[in-house]
Amino acid sequence: MTFYVESETDRELPFNAEEVAGRVIAEALETEKCPYEVSVNVLLTDNEGIHVLNREHRGIDCPTDVLSFPNVDYDVPADFSSIEDRAEDYFDPESGELCLGDIVISVDRVYEQSEEYGHSSMREYAFLVAHSMLHLLGYDHIASPEAEVMERKQEEILDRLGITRNEHGTDRTAPCQGEQLNEEKEV
């Protein structure tokens, strides 16, 4: 697995963002039984930066917490059976890795939402990475049944890693403002 975490904000997180992202990405892939080596890019930005991307790619003129730019089109979420039919679109010709896509996270929102939900900034960041990874694996939360499946899978990934809310935290399965984008991207 290859993943890159790049930051374009001066605001730092009080934990190793690359290490946490790597653990969450690996667990999401394991949970969904991905049979391939993959590559994922993570961009950390601020509310202003994600606001611009949200406006450009979704037509929504406000900041959000996370944006997902999937590279793979799935007929069924995390069904890898037909991926190789479009190998030239999905696999890096040099590394052979499946290029899943890009994750963009607002560090400002990590702090805001961790306070709002009463848990650590590390837990909020891990939640957003898990949420976005599920989008990169073909899941969505537009319809209620899909949202329930996605929420359950997010919690399963974090629980397996021991990343939980503290006993005073509130439930973090409230509707997220980040969305999947099914288009070519340049981030």
Side-chain angles (χ1 to χ4, degrees), residues 46-143:
D46 54 21
N47 280 345
E48 183 178 321
I50 208 162
H51 183 165
V52 169
L53 292 171
N54 205 21
R55 184 177 55 239
E56 287 176 0
H57 294 278
R58 294 178 59 213
I60 298 175
D61 194 15
C62 66
T64 187
D65 52 3
V66 62
L67 291 171
S68 306
F69 296 90
N71 185 55
V72 178
D73 297 314
Y74 300 89
D75 294 326
V76 174
D79 177 2
F80 301 96
S81 62
S82 63
I83 297 284
E84 291 180 19
D85 295 343
R86 295 191 50 200
E88 66 280 355
D89 294 332
Y90 299 148
F91 289 88
D92 183 309
E94 292 179 21
S95 70
E97 292 177 319
L98 175 62
C99 301
L100 282 181
D102 301 326
I103 297 170
V104 181
I105 295 175
S106 168
V107 173
D108 294 334
R109 292 299 286 265
V110 168
Y111 281 107
E112 293 164 12
Q113 291 176 179
S114 67
E115 186 174 318
E116 177 182 346
Y117 292 106
H119 52 239
S120 71
S121 56
M122 194 268 289
R123 200 268 182 203
E124 182 64 21
Y125 174 77
F127 176 88
L128 295 175
V129 173
H131 179 90
S132 195
M133 276 301 296
L134 290 171
H135 279 313
L136 298 187
L137 292 166
Y139 290 92
D140 212 339
H141 50 76
I142 294 173

Side-chain angles (χ1 to χ4, degrees), residues 2-6 18 21 25 39-44 97 103:
T2 303
F3 69 97
Y4 302 96
V5 176
E6 181 181 344
E18 188 170 333
I25 291 167
S39 66
V40 176
N41 298 308
V42 179
L43 174 65
L44 304 179
E97 292 177 319
I103 297 170

